[in-house]
Amino acid sequence: MHPIEHLQEKIAASLSNLPIYREPAGLYEPITYTLQQGGKRIRPLLTLIATQMFGGNPDKALPAATAIEIFHNFTLLHDDIIDQAPLRRGRDTVYKKWNINTAILSGDTMFAVAYGQLAGSDPQQLPVLMQVFTKTAIEVCEGQQYDIDFENAGDVTIDAYLNMIRLKTAVLLAASLKIGALIGGASQKDAEAIYRFGENMGIAFQLQDDLLDAFGDEAVFGKKTGGDIIANKKTYLYLKALECSSKENAAELKNWFLQRTGEPQAKIAAVLDLFNKAGVKQHAENMIQDYIQKAMSHLKTITPDEKARGPLLELLSGMLKRNH
């Protein structure tokens, strides 16, 4: 059983040895820049962990894990354009450092390179891996479109929001685990169970990010809080506050989320006050725990024993602690 640190080294080595850094430099330098930013590399790590959970060799899963990490970074390249985000992980985003056209084209190339990496998997397993990977890629795009649609929609429901974050965020975590499990020799039943585990954990993590964006400690969270409020993001907190507030407070909250100018700190303070009056922090914490419990109920049904699950639970526990 390889420790997490050893698996992380394998992923880093695989990414650094990619045969894609060539001419034209204007296309490939942004890809190098993106993949060398590091980050947590949670998704490929989940793939390798899942493979060895079911008795497989994580080296056999490296092509798929690398494909997943490249695909994830491709989505970030395009997300930054959509969100007009100037920074990612403390550095200029690709469209800011180069330009929008370069970011689009480099992202498209990363999408193709991801499939090229996946093609290096066991030929007998490749068809089913391709099915999972392709379905997930489409769903991530569906989630992104819902997120865009919600910006100007006046009737977003909590269920619709939860489905959006499931598609945009959770399904890639779930697919990372399922692909790893299949490579490791898991049964279809176990592969589906670990997918549902990852899906529910992914929703829990996104709800936690929503919560921390509003109420987190900036020193611990690693970025300034209130970003979702400034961007008028209709997160779970906003939607639950509308549901739990008086008519007057709900109207005031809606009014704040119609504003795109003004003093940011005043807006954050006013919205947080309305969130507190509605008690949404506790509602969000309860919802997060509900999804974690759902996730664990699926994990308990799979074949590997507690020792085999150890690295997976260690990784997820670290993510939860880091975000608190």
Side-chain angles (χ1 to χ4, degrees):
M1 187 74 69
H2 295 277
I4 287 175
E5 295 76 15
H6 190 189
L7 297 178
Q8 288 173 321
E9 289 171 4
K10 288 177 178 291
I11 294 164
S14 178
L15 288 167
S16 66
N17 291 326
L18 283 173
I20 60 172
Y21 307 131
R22 53 182 183 269
E23 297 295 329
L27 178 66
Y28 291 105
E29 283 180 1
I31 298 176
T32 309
Y33 175 81
T34 299
L35 294 177
Q36 288 180 349
Q37 287 187 75
K40 298 181 284 289
R41 310 234 193 265
I42 295 298
R43 291 152 194 83
L45 194 51
L46 289 174
T47 301
L48 300 190
I49 287 173
T51 296
Q52 69 175 14
M53 271 181 66
F54 291 94
N57 180 352
D59 287 343
K60 192 178 176 185
L62 265 176
T66 305
I68 287 166
E69 180 66 5
I70 295 169
F71 171 78
H72 172 61
N73 279 275
F74 142 72
T75 67
L76 299 182
L77 231 68
H78 285 189
D79 283 358
D80 289 338
I81 299 170
I82 293 168
D83 295 339
Q84 299 180 22
L87 296 174
R88 179 170 291 280
R89 297 171 186 151
R91 301 203 302 175
D92 288 342
T93 50
V94 168
Y95 90 92
K96 276 289 185 183
K97 185 174 177 64
W98 282 271
N99 54 65
I100 289 176
N101 290 342
T102 293
I104 292 171
L105 195 56
S106 292
D108 292 344
T109 304
M110 290 173 74
F111 187 77
V113 170
Y115 269 97
Q117 287 297 304
L118 185 62
S121 302
D122 184 331
Q124 290 187 319
Q125 293 181 315
L126 187 57
V128 68
L129 300 183
M130 289 282 284
Q131 288 175 358
V132 176
F133 191 87
T134 301
K135 178 175 179 287
T136 303
I138 292 169
E139 287 178 329
V140 170
C141 293
E142 290 171 351
Q144 181 65 65
Q145 184 61 53
Y146 279 129
D147 195 23
I148 292 169
D149 292 345
F150 289 173
E151 289 182 18
N152 298 312
D155 56 351
V156 180
T157 65
I158 288 175
D159 284 346
Y161 177 74
L162 291 172
N163 184 53
M164 182 273 287
I165 63 175
R166 180 186 70 83
L167 292 167
K168 186 178 176 183
T169 301
V171 296
L172 186 54
L173 287 171
S176 300
L177 286 164
K178 184 175 184 177
I179 286 171
L182 289 169
I183 293 170
S187 66
Q188 283 296 327
K189 177 178 172 292
D190 282 349
E192 184 61 24
I194 204 167
Y195 180 92
R196 297 301 170 197
F197 166 79
E199 186 178 47
N200 282 286
M201 286 301 298
I203 294 172
F205 287 137
Q206 185 56 57
L207 289 170
Q208 184 174 250
D209 274 353
D210 292 352
L211 184 62
L212 292 171
D213 187 85
F215 295 103
D217 181 338
E218 291 183 2
V220 176
F221 190 32
K223 62 181 181 181
K224 293 190 72 65
T225 55
D228 288 344
I229 294 171
I230 297 303
N232 296 326
K233 290 275 188 182
K234 297 182 177 76
T235 65
Y236 173 83
L237 300 178
Y238 170 81
L239 297 170
K240 194 66 179 178
L242 289 181
E243 181 183 289
C244 297
S245 295
S246 65
K247 286 185 179 180
E248 293 78 10
N249 286 351
E252 184 182 349
L253 182 58
K254 285 181 178 179
N255 185 56
W256 278 111
F257 271 65
L258 290 173
Q259 297 183 20
R260 298 190 179 275
T261 58
E263 173 51 46
Q265 292 308 313
K267 178 177 181 176
I268 292 170
V271 169
L272 288 180
D273 182 55
L274 292 167
F275 281 178
N276 284 324
K277 287 176 180 175
V280 296
K281 185 177 181 181
Q282 189 60 55
H283 284 295
E285 289 173 347
N286 292 342
M287 182 72 82
I288 291 164
Q289 288 306 311
D290 285 347
Y291 275 102
I292 291 174
Q293 288 174 14
K294 286 180 189 176
M296 295 307 296
S297 71
H298 288 291
L299 186 64
K300 288 174 182 175
T301 69
I302 66 174
T303 303
D305 58 22
E306 256 184 70
K307 183 178 180 182
R309 298 173 192 160
L312 176 61
L313 296 176
E314 178 189 342
L315 175 65
L316 298 177
S317 175
M319 290 174 68
L320 288 168
K321 287 177 182 176
R322 185 179 62 245
N323 286 343
H324 274 81

